[in-house]
Amino acid sequence: MKRTVKDLVGLKGKVVLLRVDFNVPMDETRKILDSTRIDNALPTINYLIEQKARVVILSHLGRPKGFEVQKSLWPVAMELMNKLPCNVDFCNAVIGDEVKYRIKYLKEGNVLLLENTRFYEGEDKCDMDFAREIAALGDIYVNDAFGTAHRKNASTYALARLMPNAIGLLMEKEIENLSKVIENPKRPFVAILGGAKVDSKIQIIDKLLEIADTIIIGGAMAYTFLLARGEMVGMSLVQNDYIEYARQTLIKAEEAGKKILLPIDHVGVSTSDRKSTVYKVKTLKGDLAGYDIGEETIELYRNEINNASQIFWNGPVGMFEKPEFANGTKKIAEAIANSNAYSVVGGGDTVSAINSFGTAKGFDFISTGGGASMEFFENGTLPCIEVIQEKIR
C-alpha cells in the first residue's frame, strides 16, 4: 500500500511539490470550459493548506512546442484564486532564479502555481537533470495526477525517484476503486466496451476475459467482431487486421463460459445518400454504415445491466456527439445509473457522455484517467505509482 499525503508528518513550513493534472479544456479566449480536473485536486490542496505547508503546484497543459502563451497555466491560477481559501500566486517558469525567489518568500498555508511543465523539453524526455533542478526547490513530493501516471515524465516519475514522496487523495481514491473492480469483483460482473478501434482495447479485452462474466461490445469496434462472426456490416468501420483477433476472442469466451454480447440491430446512414437519412435496421446491407445501436440491442444490453452486481464501462456505444446517434449511449448510461450494481466508468469520451446526459451522479466512481485507468486496469499498477514509497505499517 502506497504512502498517502495523510501519512506525512511535520508538514508545517515544508515546501511540498504537488503534481496535479490541470490539463483543462479552454476556448480561444482562454476561458476554462470544464474545471472538473481542478475541482478533483482541491481536497489534496486544501489538506496541505490546513497543514500549513508551503504548496508549490506543478502541472502540464496540452502539448505545446516550447513556450506558448496559449498553453500557459495562468488562467488556472485565476481559477484557483476563486476556489482556495488562501493566497494563490503564479510564476511563469518551472525552474530558475525567479522560481527560487518566489518559493523563498512563499508563506505557510499559501499556494504557488508554476508554469506548464511541458514548456521544457526535459519533461517529456524524463530528463533527470531537469528533474533535479525541480527537486531542489522543495522538501517533499506528492503526486495527485492519476491521469498522467502511466507516462514517465520528469515531474511525474523522475521527481518521485529523487525526493521523499506520497500520493495525493485523488490518486488514493483512484487506486482504491479500480483495484476493487479488478481484485475482488462482485458477480455477475458486466463490462461494457465501446469506442472506435479494437486495437486500442486488446489488452483490456484480454484482461476482462479473465475477470468479467459478460462483455458487452458497442461502438464502431463492434463491427469488427460482427464481421468476425460472419455477419453483414455494410460499409461500417472495420479493422481488417483485427478480424482474426476478434474471431479468436469470441472462441475463447465461449470456451471459458463467458458471454460476449454484440449489437442485434443498428442505427446508420447510407454512405451514398447525400441527405444523410437515418435508417433503423436489423442488418447492415449494401452501403449502410452503422453509427449507433438500435432499440432491440439497447433492451438486450439493459437486461444484462439490470442483472449485474458490478459494472465497468469504457467507451461510448455510438457516435454520441451527434444527436441522431446519441440514443444508445444515453440509454446505456441511464440503465447503469439506475441499476443496483457497483458501477465504475473510465475514459474521457465516456465521462463526457455521462456528463452531457446528466447521469454522472448515478455512478459509484468516475475515473479521472483515460489511458491511465485503462493501463491500471490491465496491469494493476502504473509506472508513476510504482515509484511512490510504501506506507509504513
Side-chain angles (χ1 to χ4, degrees):
M1 190 174 290
K2 297 299 177 179
R3 186 162 72 164
T4 78
V5 66
K6 290 195 173 180
D7 296 316
L8 301 173
V9 294
L11 289 175
K12 188 177 189 299
K14 293 287 175 64
V15 176
V16 176
L17 301 182
L18 173 63
R19 180 52 158 98
V20 298
D21 183 3
F22 284 164
N23 188 27
V24 293
M26 297 184 192
D27 64 17
E28 61 279 356
T29 69
R30 309 302 320 286
K31 179 185 176 184
I32 295 171
L33 300 174
D34 183 356
S35 65
T36 302
R37 284 177 172 161
I38 297 172
D39 297 337
N40 285 333
L42 293 180
T44 298
I45 299 171
N46 280 318
Y47 177 79
L48 291 169
I49 290 168
E50 289 164 8
Q51 299 304 304
K52 300 295 183 187
R54 297 154 67 202
V55 188
V56 178
I57 299 178
L58 298 152
S59 179
H60 73 284
L61 176 63
R63 292 198 169 275
K65 296 177 180 176
F67 284 74
E68 291 182 24
V69 174
Q70 288 299 105
K71 295 290 193 297
S72 172
L73 282 168
W74 167 245
V76 176
M78 300 292 287
E79 187 80 4
L80 287 175
M81 290 173 191
N82 295 323
K83 291 178 179 285
L84 293 175
C86 65
N87 183 64
V88 176
D89 202 0
F90 176 74
C91 185
N92 61 355
V94 174
I95 54 175
D97 291 341
E98 178 66 18
V99 181
K100 292 175 186 175
Y101 177 82
R102 295 288 192 91
I103 292 174
K104 182 179 179 180
Y105 292 100
L106 180 64
K107 293 181 179 178
E108 294 177 1
N110 284 340
V111 168
L112 172 67
L113 174 64
L114 302 185
E115 189 50 282
N116 190 342
T117 57
R118 286 187 180 167
F119 281 178
Y120 298 80
E121 275 188 22
E123 171 70 340
D124 280 348
K125 292 180 178 178
C126 199
D127 183 82
M128 290 305 293
D129 289 333
F130 175 56
R132 286 187 188 95
E133 285 194 70
I134 303 174
L137 302 171
D139 302 304
I140 299 163
Y141 172 73
V142 174
N143 192 345
D144 209 25
F146 180 79
T148 62
H150 57 314
R151 297 193 186 99
K152 289 184 177 181
N153 291 338
S155 68
T156 60
Y157 184 79
L159 274 184
R161 296 175 62 194
L162 297 169
M163 303 178 71
N165 57 59
I167 56 172
L169 303 178
L170 173 63
M171 185 85 84
E172 180 186 24
K173 191 189 293 185
E174 290 275 4
I175 294 170
E176 183 182 315
N177 281 276
L178 291 175
S179 295
K180 194 186 297 182
V181 172
I182 302 165
E183 294 167 8
N184 189 28
K186 298 177 180 178
R187 302 203 180 275
F189 173 20
V190 174
I192 303 164
L193 295 178
K197 296 182 178 180
V198 175
D199 59 329
S200 65
K201 299 281 169 74
I202 285 176
Q203 285 82 5
I204 194 165
I205 291 170
D206 291 345
K207 179 71 175 181
L208 288 168
L209 273 177
E210 297 173 16
I211 61 174
D213 300 297
T214 300
I215 302 176
I216 290 173
I217 296 180
M221 63 184 285
Y223 302 115
T224 300
F225 278 87
L226 286 169
L227 192 59
R229 204 166 66 178
E231 298 192 24
M232 296 172 68
V233 297
M235 296 299 290
S236 303
L237 180 65
V238 168
Q239 285 187 288
N240 290 308
D241 291 347
Y242 294 92
I243 292 172
E244 182 57 24
Y245 167 78
R247 194 177 73 82
Q248 291 299 327
T249 299
L250 292 169
I251 292 169
K252 286 178 189 174
E254 188 173 358
E255 289 174 348
K258 307 291 180 77
K259 281 196 285 187
I260 291 184
L261 299 185
L262 297 170
I264 55 175
D265 63 337
H266 316 269
V267 179
V269 296
S270 167
T271 53
S272 61
D273 181 4
R274 292 183 181 179
K275 295 178 183 178
S276 297
T277 306
V278 174
Y279 295 90
K280 297 180 180 180
V281 295
K282 287 281 288 182
T283 305
L284 293 162
K285 299 177 182 178
D287 66 352
L288 287 182
Y291 288 97
D292 193 15
I293 57 175
E295 291 293 339
E296 289 183 35
T297 305
I298 290 169
E299 193 58 31
L300 173 70
Y301 291 0
R302 185 158 41 205
N303 287 338
E304 203 71 23
I305 288 166
N306 289 340
N307 291 322
S309 294
Q310 175 176 295
I311 297 168
F312 175 77
W313 183 20
N314 172 261
V317 297
M319 193 185 285
F320 77 95
E321 300 91 342
K322 294 190 175 183
E324 60 267 40
F325 305 123
N327 185 56
T329 302
K330 183 180 181 182
K331 291 290 175 63
I332 294 301
E334 290 171 348
I336 299 171
N338 293 324
S339 75
N340 294 320
Y342 173 75
S343 54
V344 173
V345 61
D349 287 343
T350 322
V351 174
S352 295
I354 64 172
N355 284 332
S356 69
F357 301 141
T359 54
K361 287 183 179 178
F363 288 78
D364 292 290
F365 184 69
I366 298 171
S367 178
T368 59
S373 59
M374 291 304 95
E375 197 168 312
F376 185 91
F377 206 95
E378 293 156 18
N379 303 317
T381 188
L382 296 170
C384 298
I385 295 173
E386 283 293 281
V387 288
I388 298 295
Q389 293 167 255
E390 295 293 324
K391 190 191 293 272
I392 299 172
R393 303 197 180 190

